[in-house]
Amino acid sequence: MSGFSPAWLALREPVDLAARNEDVETAFFAALGSQPMRIMDLASGAGSTVSALARHRSTSTEWLLTDYDPALLEVAGQRWQDRVTTRQIDLASDLEELPFAEVDAVTTSAFLDLVAEPFLVRLVDQVVKARKPFLASLTYDGRAVFTPQLPFDAALLAAHNTHQLSDKGFGPALGPAAAMRAIELFRDRGYKVVQGRSDWQADSSSADFLKELLGGWCNVGREVALDETELAQWWSLRQEHITSGQLTLSVGHVDFTALP
C-alpha cells in the first residue's frame, strides 16, 4: 500500500476531525452500548481515529491499531500509550489473519477509496462473518468546490479522480465509488447502514494543509500530462489565493456505519 508521511497526516488531522459526521458516529456508538470494549482500526496511520472517537466514549476503550507502515504505528503508539496496541500487517495479503471475532467493533478512516473491489468484498465478508459493527469515516467521493473558482479547476479535479483509480497496493482502486459500493455490499448482507457527508472545509486557517493538498494535485496533473502552462498558471493563482486568505475549498467525503 502507498504510504503517507507523518507530516501530511498531522496537517490533515484537524480538517478530518472537523469534517467527521457526528450523527453517523453517534449511531455507531449507540449500537455498541456503554460497556468497556475493544475496537480494531484498519489502516490506522498515526492514530487519528482514536483521537476522533475518544469524544464519544466516557467508558474504557482499548484499541488495536493496524497498518503496513511501522513508523506510523510507532507515532500512534507514542500518542496513545495506555490505550492502544499496534500490529504491523499487509492488509492486502493478510486481512483474514486479523482477530475480527475477538473485538467489539471495526473502524477505518480515509481508507476505502484506496482499495479495489475484491479487497472490499473480503473486508465486508470478514466483518459480517464476525457480526461486528463497522464504521468507515472520510471516504473520498469525488466532489470538490473551490471559492473563488477558476476555469482549470474542473480539468484538475477530473485528473485527480482518474488518478484515484490507480493501484494503491490493493489493485485498481474504487476511488470515488468506494463508499457507495461498500454500503451496497453491507446492505446486501442484511446490515443496516447509516450514512452522511463528512466534507473537508478548508480556508485561511488551514493554509499549510491547502498548500500541501493542492501541490499534490498539481503533481497528479503533471503525471497525467495536463497542459503544463495552464497547470503552472493555476498553481500560481492558487498559491496567491492561499497566501492572501481568499481560498476556501470543500472536498467531498462520506461517513457510514454498518450495523448487524
Side-chain angles (χ1 to χ4, degrees), residues 211 214-215 218 222 231-239 242:
K211 288 178 182 177
L214 297 184
C218 281
R222 294 186 185 96
L231 186 60
Q233 291 173 343
W234 181 91
W235 182 222
S236 178
L237 283 170
R238 285 309 185 198
Q239 289 181 91
I242 294 169

Side-chain angles (χ1 to χ4, degrees), residues 1-3 43-45 66-73 87-94 170:
M1 175 182 168
S2 300
S44 303
T66 69
D67 203 278
Y68 185 69
D69 188 332
L72 292 178
L73 289 175
R87 179 168 175 177
Q88 194 275 332
I89 188 169
D90 185 344
L91 292 172
S93 60
D94 299 327
F170 297 86

